[in-house]
Amino acid sequence: MNKIPYKTYLTEEEMPKAWYNLRADMKTKPAPLLNPGTHQPMKAEELSPVFCDELIKQELDNDTAYFPIPKEVYEFYKMYRPSPLVRAYCLEKALGTPAKIYYKFEGNNTSGSHKLNSASAQAYYAKKQGLKGVTTETGAGQWGTALSMACSYFDLDCKVYMVKVSYEQKPFRREVMRTYGATVTPSPSETTQIGKKILEEHPGTTGSLGCAISEAVEVAVSTPGYRYVLGSVLNQVLLHQSIIGLETEAALKKIGEKPDIIIGCAGGGSNLGGLIAPFMRDKILGKADYRIVAVEPASCPSFTRGKFAYDFADTGKVCPLAKMYTLGSNFIPAPNHAGGLRYHGMSTVLSQLYHDGYMEAVAVPQTEVFEAAEKFARIEGILPAPESSHAIKVAIDEALKCKETGEEKTIVFGLTGTGYFDLVAYEKFHDKKMDDYIPTDEDLAKSLADLPKID
Amino acid sequence: MNKIPYKTYLTEEEMPKAWYNLRADMKTKPAPLLNPGTHQPMKAEELSPVFCDELIKQELDNDTAYFPIPKEVYEFYKMYRPSPLVRAYCLEKALGTPAKIYYKFEGNNTSGSHKLNSASAQAYYAKKQGLKGVTTETGAGQWGTALSMACSYFDLDCKVYMVKVSYEQKPFRREVMRTYGATVTPSPSETTQIGKKILEEHPGTTGSLGCAISEAVEVAVSTPGYRYVLGSVLNQVLLHQSIIGLETEAALKKIGEKPDIIIGCAGGGSNLGGLIAPFMRDKILGKADYRIVAVEPASCPSFTRGKFAYDFADTGKVCPLAKMYTLGSNFIPAPNHAGGLRYHGMSTVLSQLYHDGYMEAVAVPQTEVFEAAEKFARIEGILPAPESSHAIKVAIDEALKCKETGEEKTIVFGLTGTGYFDLVAYEKFHDKKMDDYIPTDEDLAKSLADLPKID
């Protein structure tokens, strides 16, 4: 048998032609979105002032297993996909582990992450609907960059509300978005009612994703020809991101491998939900068994310390309610929290699956994540995004366990992106100015006190 | 016939096993390096305090056509190679040209450029010789980053002298090098005799490559167990970079294409010399004919406005003399010059070939380069390095000429890297603060007045 190559690429013909909708195979479906006023399930017509019509269909459809990828999106994908499944030979050797480590690398595009997979789909549907533009929020900046690229390609206007602390710490992210013609506004801002209100109530705030979402939604619903798009959490996003898992599945098959452990970082769930989609299907259907592990920051621990309950999706409480693992919509990670994975909630799909025992979750402290990141960069030659490094950390831990037990497990993790725009965080790490603030039980009790009462 | 894919990858087995030494097939060999004191050709033993022994052999060997790539370097290459040959379908469509445009993309690695191809080879030979570490200079930072990565992998100490203006404008480049364990010093510095001298004579200087080279060489020859390595200009570097051209040749063969025009950016010549190596061989041997075009910045126009003469390789005049197209070793591009391609000289190999009429050269102004860069980013989805964008600019120009004439030419250009660390320059461009200072004839006469007198 030939040795497995460092990088396994599918050919363009082998690239999946349809997205996979995991909800179709879930035994317990995710709870529906509720109208924040009436607490009744949201209907398509209620969502249409906010979202594109085609995306609403995808959002609400719990039954259709496969959605064909539109030709235009498929062509866009071919500019940067299929992405490689990499055998981490160097890392295995450096760790001295009998485990086989693979990572699906989504960072080889200018947005630097997997976010482009959904950005291109959402921009396409917006254009197809005849819209002028879209609004969105971005935290670490990966989503905003990806959306700017997609909007430039499909000739749509793009308005990005960027969490203020990121806007200031990542001027280069802003500049990339500008290269692609997007307008970038630090949030909270004076350009929206909700932004003004938040600035009045919290004058020194550095912003949050929940707040930026509220601003972007307000602008979308109040500007003719605009809709709001979101880079994570939503069902439609997980649907588009299933391309990651489908390619991973096909590549593993091509080289004759079966995973024992699948590991992904989890913020809102876009990468994790995409990566695990076909594997989780087989697990639900009893066709395969493996451990699926979500890794989240200890500073924003929705899965491991949050509550499974209906909550507001945004600080301004204008969005539908979602049943998910949440830390409360007022939760904001400590200012020293680097990178993304800072959302207070979690995908309803992943929340339900976690609740039903199909996956594990682990929270890891920030400095250990950066130690793993630096180790990985030096050994595997890729400087990883802080988000992705959460998965690296746990993949290394699992490989070291194999070293102890002598087990030759196959570990697959998602390397969602590169850290080229996260060097301020790396600098803090090098200068030992990074710490590991973890919310206290009191902090969480406080932010969870504001959950809506749903009968 | 199948449609040619967007990206053509060789398999790992198809990756070239040897580097190609273009000098072996040149009818007129490049002029030898001369001892700056005696003006006699440098012998291996004179170079050995500065360079690694194996690299000196490669530097001086004008006869051996193929050098096997050492197994350790080949394994390193497999972490990020083979690199894709991309068909620029989107760009062709946007330009409305009948031309077929291909680019060899070398930016999919953390150093963000082709520089890693030679950095890994040089670090490997240094380690094999039992050295403790290497010194080098870096301008835009691509070479320094690549060398840091390679030294980290091969467990060598790495001391980088970074041109001061880049050090200050690109703190993130510095931080990446730090991630890989390198020491980065802004040049000119107080750590060397030549640095002190230059600082005394030019107190406000923002540094130059020539000056940083002098410092790095001084440290290498005065520190036991250290040697100096260089990322461009040298014959050995072009040898290692031939992997670019060899892969391009193999990929074109795989898809049944023959180039009409080959375009590469030129600073010291590392990318251009590598990209064109096998194509130039066939042109020299009369087996093929095509145009080969070097693109340089109008602000640093060695080929188009320099003199073909022996000159100092560095400001401190400690390095051997090289016969090349040069602007004079005191030449420093205007401070508004962005990115690399700022060396006063040019590879002796490329200089000889240009002198002998085997290739063309064109100088392009900076703002036009950034216009091309932004256009390319929006259409092809990759944010290019300013250096690479010189080639993009001319590739677009040639494609537009084909549009006028209706010719279906095949254009191949080198996309050497990404611009993720060049956003300060992009920002200047967006803010219309970029200008196109081009040296006057008087400027050049002044910097060329100091050429050594060689009989």
Side-chain angles (χ1 to χ4, degrees):
Chain A
M1 202 182 106
N2 276 340
K3 195 182 158 193
I4 291 163
Y6 277 69
K7 296 183 261 27
T8 299
Y9 283 102
L10 302 178
T11 65
E12 282 172 15
E13 288 71 39
E14 289 168 335
M15 203 164 82
K17 305 281 187 298
W19 295 303
Y20 167 62
N21 179 12
L22 179 54
R23 283 166 287 158
D25 289 306
M26 283 171 70
K27 290 185 180 161
T28 309
K29 307 290 181 193
L33 298 176
L34 300 186
N35 182 306
T38 66
H39 292 189
Q40 293 303 305
M42 291 292 282
K43 293 188 191 114
E45 56 267 31
E46 293 175 282
L47 290 168
S48 72
V50 181
F51 295 120
C52 303
D53 297 342
E54 202 68 36
L55 292 167
I56 294 170
K57 279 188 207 162
Q58 296 179 351
E59 189 64 29
L60 299 178
D61 189 333
N62 285 345
D63 304 307
T64 307
Y66 289 91
F67 286 82
I69 301 173
K71 192 179 140 283
E72 292 83 352
V73 178
Y74 203 73
E75 287 300 307
F76 187 91
Y77 278 0
K78 285 203 266 181
M79 285 206 297
Y80 69 100
R81 307 201 67 83
S83 73
L85 180 70
V86 186
R87 174 76 181 264
Y89 281 120
C90 298
L91 184 60
E92 291 171 16
K93 195 177 157 194
L95 297 175
T97 177
K100 292 185 275 185
I101 308 175
Y102 290 91
Y103 55 91
K104 179 70 169 168
F105 182 40
E106 292 286 321
N108 273 349
N109 68 75
T110 287
S111 81
S113 84
H114 66 293
K115 295 283 182 181
L116 204 51
N117 302 330
S118 185
S120 50
Q122 297 194 46
Y124 164 74
Y125 288 121
K127 186 71 185 177
K128 200 181 158 202
Q129 194 175 322
L131 298 176
K132 279 189 215 161
V134 292
T135 71
T136 198
E137 79 296 329
T138 197
Q142 294 182 336
W143 168 248
T145 314
L147 188 68
S148 305
M149 290 176 68
C151 285
S152 167
Y153 182 87
F154 287 112
D155 192 24
L156 275 173
D157 183 41
C158 180
K159 296 185 196 299
V160 179
Y161 284 83
M162 187 168 186
V163 177
K164 191 177 274 171
V165 61
S166 293
Y167 183 89
E168 285 161 3
Q169 282 190 0
K170 301 189 174 186
F172 293 169
R173 271 280 177 206
R174 183 188 68 208
E175 208 52 42
V176 181
M177 292 185 246
R178 236 176 127 197
T179 301
Y180 286 94
T183 316
V184 189
T185 308
S187 166
S189 75
E190 297 282 349
T191 66
T192 64
Q193 296 307 317
I194 185 72
K196 285 180 196 163
K197 182 159 172 279
I198 291 169
L199 281 172
E200 267 169 35
E201 289 170 10
H202 311 275
T205 181
T206 55
S208 72
L209 263 189
C211 162
I213 292 173
S214 299
E215 290 203 87
V217 170
E218 182 183 319
V219 173
V221 299
S222 60
T223 315
Y226 280 73
R227 291 295 184 283
Y228 167 71
V229 296
L230 179 60
S232 191
V233 186
L234 294 177
N235 297 337
Q236 60 189 261
V237 176
L238 268 70
L239 174 69
H240 307 146
Q241 294 295 359
S242 69
I243 187 86
I244 305 173
L246 294 166
E247 280 189 11
T248 304
E249 184 189 35
L252 286 170
K253 202 170 170 184
K254 202 168 174 173
I255 54 175
E257 284 281 17
K258 287 191 177 166
D260 296 301
I261 312 175
I262 300 165
I263 301 166
C265 62
S270 69
N271 154 67
L272 183 68
L275 173 67
I276 68 174
F279 301 102
M280 184 60 91
R281 173 197 60 208
D282 289 356
K283 187 164 179 170
I284 291 172
L285 300 177
K287 290 183 184 172
D289 197 19
Y290 17 62
R291 290 173 54 206
I292 294 178
V293 185
V295 191
E296 60 184 12
S299 53
C300 190
S302 339
F303 269 136
T304 52
R305 297 177 65 199
K307 202 170 160 183
F308 186 47
Y310 268 106
D311 194 7
F312 299 101
D314 64 323
T315 313
K317 303 181 181 177
V318 298
C319 292
L321 303 174
K323 190 173 180 189
M324 57 187 178
Y325 281 86
T326 180
L327 300 165
S329 63
N330 291 324
F331 180 83
I332 297 182
N336 64 41
H337 172 93
L341 311 183
R342 53 172 68 238
Y343 186 60
H344 68 274
M346 180 59 65
S347 144
T348 59
V349 170
L350 296 178
S351 292
Q352 189 64 49
L353 289 166
Y354 179 64
H355 186 70
D356 291 345
Y358 286 106
M359 49 191 266
E360 309 162 32
V362 53
V364 288
Q366 180 159 262
T367 49
E368 289 180 26
V369 167
F370 275 83
E371 279 161 18
E374 183 165 277
K375 182 190 285 243
F376 185 82
R378 292 188 177 193
I379 296 169
E380 284 287 317
I382 296 171
L383 187 83
E387 297 81 6
S388 325
S389 305
H390 288 73
I392 295 173
K393 158 72 183 152
V394 172
I396 290 176
D397 287 349
E398 291 291 341
L400 290 175
K401 280 185 209 161
C402 289
K403 187 179 179 178
E404 276 182 31
T405 61
E407 287 172 290
E408 201 184 296
K409 285 187 182 165
T410 299
I411 300 169
V412 176
F413 73 90
L415 189 69
T416 56
T418 50
Y420 307 147
F421 295 102
D422 300 288
L423 271 308
V424 167
Y426 273 91
E427 189 172 20
K428 269 192 195 161
F429 171 67
H430 293 143
D431 293 341
K432 316 254 182 252
K433 287 180 183 160
M434 182 167 272
D435 55 29
D436 290 326
Y437 182 80
I438 294 172
T440 62
D441 289 342
E442 289 70 32
D443 291 336
L444 294 184
K446 205 172 153 193
S447 67
L448 282 166
D450 202 27
L451 290 184
K453 309 284 172 282
I454 307 290
D455 306 320
Chain B
M1 199 182 109
N2 276 340
K3 194 181 157 194
I4 290 163
Y6 278 69
K7 296 183 264 21
T8 299
Y9 283 102
L10 303 177
T11 66
E12 282 173 16
E13 286 71 39
E14 291 168 333
M15 201 164 83
K17 305 282 188 297
W19 294 304
Y20 168 62
N21 179 12
L22 179 54
R23 284 166 287 158
D25 289 305
M26 284 170 71
K27 290 184 180 162
T28 309
K29 308 290 179 191
L33 297 176
L34 299 185
N35 182 306
T38 66
H39 291 189
Q40 293 302 306
M42 291 292 281
K43 295 190 189 111
E45 56 268 31
E46 294 173 285
L47 289 168
S48 72
V50 181
F51 294 122
C52 304
D53 297 341
E54 202 67 39
L55 293 167
I56 294 170
K57 279 188 208 163
Q58 296 179 353
E59 189 64 29
L60 299 179
D61 189 334
N62 284 345
D63 305 307
T64 307
Y66 289 92
F67 286 82
I69 301 172
K71 193 179 138 283
E72 292 82 353
V73 178
Y74 202 75
E75 287 300 306
F76 187 91
Y77 278 0
K78 285 202 266 181
M79 284 205 297
Y80 69 100
R81 306 199 70 82
S83 73
L85 180 72
V86 185
R87 173 76 182 263
Y89 281 120
C90 299
L91 183 60
E92 291 171 18
K93 196 177 157 194
L95 297 176
T97 177
K100 291 186 275 186
I101 308 175
Y102 290 91
Y103 55 91
K104 178 70 171 169
F105 181 40
E106 291 287 322
N108 271 349
N109 68 73
T110 287
S111 80
S113 85
H114 67 294
K115 296 282 183 181
L116 204 50
N117 301 331
S118 184
S120 50
Q122 296 195 48
Y124 164 73
Y125 288 120
K127 186 69 185 180
K128 200 182 158 204
Q129 193 175 323
L131 298 176
K132 277 189 218 162
V134 292
T135 70
T136 199
E137 79 296 329
T138 198
Q142 293 181 337
W143 167 248
T145 313
L147 189 68
S148 304
M149 290 176 69
C151 285
S152 167
Y153 181 85
F154 287 112
D155 192 23
L156 275 173
D157 184 40
C158 180
K159 296 184 197 301
V160 180
Y161 283 83
M162 186 169 187
V163 177
K164 193 178 275 173
V165 61
S166 293
Y167 183 89
E168 284 161 3
Q169 282 190 0
K170 300 188 176 188
F172 293 169
R173 272 279 177 205
R174 184 188 67 207
E175 208 53 40
V176 181
M177 292 186 246
R178 237 176 127 197
T179 301
Y180 287 94
T183 316
V184 188
T185 308
S187 167
S189 77
E190 297 281 351
T191 67
T192 66
Q193 295 306 317
I194 185 71
K196 284 180 196 162
K197 185 161 169 278
I198 292 170
L199 281 172
E200 267 170 34
E201 290 170 9
H202 310 276
T205 181
T206 55
S208 73
L209 263 190
C211 162
I213 292 174
S214 298
E215 290 204 87
V217 170
E218 182 183 320
V219 173
V221 300
S222 61
T223 314
Y226 280 74
R227 290 296 184 281
Y228 166 70
V229 296
L230 179 62
S232 192
V233 185
L234 295 177
N235 298 337
Q236 60 190 260
V237 175
L238 268 69
L239 174 69
H240 307 146
Q241 294 296 356
S242 68
I243 187 87
I244 305 173
L246 294 166
E247 279 188 12
T248 304
E249 184 189 35
L252 286 170
K253 202 169 171 185
K254 202 167 173 173
I255 55 176
E257 285 282 17
K258 285 188 180 173
D260 296 301
I261 313 175
I262 300 165
I263 300 166
C265 61
S270 69
N271 154 68
L272 182 68
L275 174 67
I276 67 174
F279 302 101
M280 185 59 89
R281 175 197 58 211
D282 290 355
K283 186 164 179 170
I284 290 172
L285 300 177
K287 290 185 184 170
D289 196 20
Y290 18 62
R291 290 173 55 207
I292 294 179
V293 186
V295 191
E296 59 185 13
S299 54
C300 189
S302 342
F303 270 136
T304 52
R305 297 178 65 202
K307 203 170 160 183
F308 186 47
Y310 268 106
D311 194 8
F312 300 101
D314 64 322
T315 313
K317 305 181 180 178
V318 299
C319 292
L321 303 174
K323 190 172 180 190
M324 56 186 179
Y325 280 87
T326 179
L327 300 166
S329 63
N330 292 323
F331 180 83
I332 296 181
N336 65 39
H337 173 93
L341 311 183
R342 52 172 68 238
Y343 187 59
H344 67 275
M346 181 57 66
S347 144
T348 60
V349 169
L350 296 179
S351 293
Q352 189 65 50
L353 289 165
Y354 179 62
H355 185 71
D356 293 344
Y358 286 106
M359 50 191 264
E360 307 162 34
V362 54
V364 288
Q366 182 159 262
T367 49
E368 289 180 25
V369 167
F370 275 83
E371 278 160 21
E374 184 165 278
K375 183 190 284 245
F376 185 83
R378 291 187 179 192
I379 296 170
E380 283 286 318
I382 296 172
L383 186 83
E387 297 83 8
S388 326
S389 304
H390 288 72
I392 295 173
K393 158 73 183 149
V394 172
I396 290 176
D397 287 349
E398 291 291 341
L400 291 175
K401 281 184 209 162
C402 290
K403 187 179 180 178
E404 278 181 30
T405 61
E407 288 172 292
E408 201 184 295
K409 286 189 182 163
T410 299
I411 299 170
V412 176
F413 73 90
L415 189 69
T416 56
T418 49
Y420 308 146
F421 294 101
D422 301 287
L423 273 307
V424 168
Y426 274 92
E427 189 172 18
K428 270 191 193 160
F429 171 68
H430 293 143
D431 292 342
K432 315 255 182 249
K433 287 182 184 160
M434 181 167 275
D435 55 30
D436 289 326
Y437 180 79
I438 293 172
T440 63
D441 290 341
E442 289 70 33
D443 291 337
L444 294 184
K446 204 173 153 195
S447 67
L448 281 167
D450 201 26
L451 289 185
K453 309 283 173 282
I454 307 289
D455 307 318

